[in-house]
Amino acid sequence: MSDIPRLFGTSGIRGEYQKKITLELAMDVARALAKYIGGKGKTVVIGHDTRTTGKIIEHVMIAGLLQSGCNVLKLGMVPTPTVGYATLKKQADAGIMITASHNPSQYNGIKLWNADGLAYKQNQEREIEKLVYEKDFNIVGWDEIGEEYDISSFKDEYVDDIIKVSEIDPNKPLKVVVDCASGAGSYLSPKALRQAGMNVITLNAQPDGFFPGRNPEPNSDNLQELMKTVKVLGADVGLAHDGDADRMIAVDEKGNLSDFDKLLTIIAKEFGGTIVTTVDASACLDTEIEKMGGKVLRTPVGDVHVAESINENNGTFGGEPSGTWLHPDFCMCPDGLLSGLRIVRAIQKNGKLSEQLDAIENYPTIREKITCDNNKKASVMEKVESDFKNEFDDIQEILTIDGVRIKFEDGSWVLIRPSGTEPYIRITTEGKTQAHLKDIETKSQNFLNKLI
């Protein structure tokens, strides 16, 4: 199937509405999914985030599913984890989430879920791409059209269940500021925290597909308001979500944005055992988990790779430094709402977030991205794989499971890999010393700039 065009990136299909994400494509993906899962009589859960194009894409996909004889369980506007969990709990055959996650308003996308709440794997995505490319669909007659059911009330069950599994203590109320980016978590994230007994202040909790308060990417530039609010109000923690709320980033009680790798490490320590993360995650996770007698396994970037490895290796917890965490004791769908509850629980148990973060060994890290047209990525990465190692003379290990990751003799490392969703080549550098970090970063940038 190598000659079949790729639709899926590292996290579903994404692109600008009416450019890559057309209504024709949405219809064909729905028909292809229906064919893939068996068509007539099968059941599919569907939900969307707050984007202005979400409902029209949903209508078209529902039509494609009904036309193929599938029944549809309609959640409405919900976070991505609610779709994954509903697919599992309702014993559906597949799930569809219509979202472009952290991308700007003009983008949208489609992500598919298995019956167990696990995102579609690459081989499954290739099968969908083949069916779309070949227009290989099964359309039923007028007397076999599927049925549509409203299951929007399932949201309440989802909230009850994430509160229960988080083991949050309602008798230790914390002051929590939550910034939902006007995205899909706008109703349910504050509701879950309040229902769990917390004192909640909200920012950008009005659903709005234009994302008027801030861009949906939860990074330092976009979370300045949250950081100031936490400090001014004397809150215990600030929580921020992306557009579909499968991610969570925290701000400590001093108003500082938490180091993403350290935040992941804090919750990983609550589980111990086998932790799964990606090639771009910090070595601080390995250091802390090894102290506990556990181990860390690494995968290519993308939550589906983390999820697969958790399943294959009986992992206790896993996630990416981006704030995309998987909780196998609940569901294999990344869940920013449950992640937020678990950070609150960790503060209740172990004290101030800033002190927990400071207790983790610090390795300075730089994450950058260099613009690169999608059609140039393959040729650029070929040169990276063949020539990048020649820039250094103290290499200990080279990994090519996802991009090129070079580990140096002192434990420092650099990773160059293409974005699966945007026109960038990403550079992640971690140094045991600031001087080594800067040296690696400068050489990496110069090397890529010459290529691109």
Side-chain angles (χ1 to χ4, degrees):
M1 292 194 290
S2 59
D3 57 335
I4 295 173
R6 296 302 301 258
L7 293 172
F8 290 84
T10 54
S11 192
I13 304 170
R14 283 191 207 163
E16 289 190 60
Y17 177 67
Q18 289 185 325
K19 291 183 180 178
K20 180 175 181 179
I21 305 299
T22 64
L23 298 182
E24 291 77 13
L25 175 65
M27 174 71 84
D28 285 350
V29 171
R31 291 163 164 170
L33 176 65
K35 172 78 178 283
Y36 180 73
I37 62 175
K40 182 184 173 184
K42 300 297 182 178
T43 302
V44 180
V45 172
I46 191 166
H48 61 86
D49 68 15
T50 58
R51 292 165 196 275
T52 60
T53 56
K55 286 185 179 179
I56 191 170
I57 294 172
E58 177 192 58
H59 290 322
V60 167
M61 296 196 79
I62 288 174
L65 293 166
L66 299 179
Q67 184 188 44
S68 304
C70 290
N71 298 318
V72 178
L73 305 182
K74 186 177 173 182
L75 281 166
M77 192 279 288
V78 291
T80 288
T82 313
V83 171
Y85 190 55
T87 305
L88 173 67
K89 291 284 281 189
K90 294 291 185 180
Q91 298 182 315
D93 298 286
I96 298 172
M97 181 64 186
I98 299 163
T99 180
S101 186
H102 63 275
N103 291 104
S105 302
Q106 67 269 29
Y107 284 74
N108 215 324
I110 301 164
K111 194 162 184 180
L112 306 179
W113 302 95
N114 280 292
D116 59 359
L118 179 71
Y120 264 38
K121 301 175 184 179
Q122 284 187 323
N123 64 311
Q124 294 178 296
E125 292 173 342
R126 291 302 278 159
E127 291 294 335
I128 298 296
E129 288 167 343
K130 181 175 185 289
L131 293 169
V132 169
Y133 180 71
E134 296 176 351
K135 303 286 186 183
D136 184 7
F137 314 128
N138 287 340
I139 308 304
V140 301
W142 66 268
D143 55 344
E144 296 179 310
I145 299 294
E147 298 284 345
E148 178 183 339
Y149 304 92
D150 184 332
I151 61 162
S152 55
S153 62
F154 179 80
K155 299 169 192 174
D156 295 330
E157 182 179 341
Y158 163 73
V159 168
D160 290 343
D161 289 353
I162 59 172
I163 292 171
K164 183 177 179 181
V165 76
S166 73
E167 299 182 343
I168 200 166
D169 187 348
N171 299 312
K172 291 184 179 179
L174 301 184
K175 184 182 285 189
V176 182
V177 184
V178 58
D179 181 344
C180 303
S182 297
S186 294
Y187 292 146
L188 296 191
S189 189
K191 176 180 178 176
L193 289 159
R194 289 191 177 110
Q195 196 169 309
M198 302 303 105
N199 177 11
V200 181
I201 299 97
T202 59
L203 297 175
N204 303 308
Q206 75 289 1
D208 190 326
F210 291 94
F211 305 115
R214 68 165 173 87
N215 291 327
E217 171 77 11
N219 59 27
S220 179
D221 289 344
N222 297 330
L223 298 181
Q224 290 297 313
E225 183 184 16
L226 174 62
M227 294 157 72
K228 292 172 184 174
T229 302
V230 169
K231 190 172 181 179
V232 168
L233 296 181
D236 296 289
V237 67
L239 306 174
H241 298 300
D242 58 340
D244 64 331
D246 65 347
R247 293 166 61 188
M248 184 281 305
I249 296 300
V251 171
D252 70 23
E253 76 285 354
K254 296 179 180 179
N256 298 318
L257 188 66
S258 298
D259 178 282
F260 294 0
D261 292 277
K262 288 187 175 186
L263 201 63
L264 175 68
T265 301
I266 283 174
I267 299 302
K269 287 172 65 178
E270 293 296 303
F271 290 92
T274 299
I275 306 296
V276 180
T277 192
T278 51
V279 291
D280 61 339
S282 170
C284 71
L285 177 62
D286 305 69
T287 301
E288 294 296 323
I289 297 304
E290 286 166 9
K291 286 179 188 175
M292 302 172 64
K295 63 179 178 180
V296 175
L297 303 178
R298 294 183 184 274
T299 73
V301 172
D303 59 83
V304 67
H305 299 297
V306 176
E308 286 179 44
S309 184
I310 289 173
N311 276 349
E312 291 167 5
N313 297 287
N314 197 26
T316 58
F317 176 73
E320 301 182 270
S322 63
T324 308
W325 299 353
L326 290 110
H327 308 264
D329 60 336
F330 181 67
C331 180
M332 290 306 296
C333 177
D335 195 324
L337 281 71
L338 178 53
S339 298
L341 290 170
R342 283 194 151 142
I343 282 293
V344 171
R345 178 58 182 148
I347 296 169
Q348 288 179 329
K349 284 177 60 182
N350 305 320
K352 294 179 179 179
L353 182 56
S354 65
E355 294 176 358
Q356 293 188 57
L357 293 165
D358 288 344
I360 297 170
E361 193 167 350
N362 190 54
Y363 304 137
T365 305
I366 299 175
R367 300 179 193 276
E368 300 168 296
K369 55 189 181 183
I370 294 178
T371 301
C372 179
D373 290 342
N374 288 326
N375 59 6
K376 291 183 179 178
K377 285 179 181 176
S379 61
V380 168
M381 289 308 300
E382 279 182 21
K383 295 292 284 184
V384 171
E385 191 160 339
S386 63
D387 297 348
F388 185 44
K389 59 182 178 289
N390 299 330
E391 300 293 310
F392 308 98
D393 56 12
D394 56 341
I395 295 173
Q396 183 184 84
E397 177 186 63
I398 299 175
L399 287 179
T400 56
I401 59 171
D402 185 8
V404 177
R405 186 184 195 268
I406 295 178
K407 182 180 179 182
F408 301 97
E409 291 171 359
D410 70 345
S412 303
W413 57 270
V414 60
L415 171 70
I416 294 181
R417 63 176 295 276
S419 169
T421 57
E422 298 173 287
Y424 299 117
I425 301 284
R426 300 187 185 277
I427 308 174
T428 306
T429 313
E430 182 172 86
K432 288 299 180 76
T433 66
Q434 197 69 44
H436 197 185
L437 174 71
K438 190 62 183 174
D439 178 60
I440 299 167
E441 185 235 356
T442 300
K443 288 179 178 177
S444 302
Q445 268 208 346
N446 290 341
F447 177 80
L448 268 186
N449 284 328
K450 287 176 186 174
L451 281 182
I452 298 173

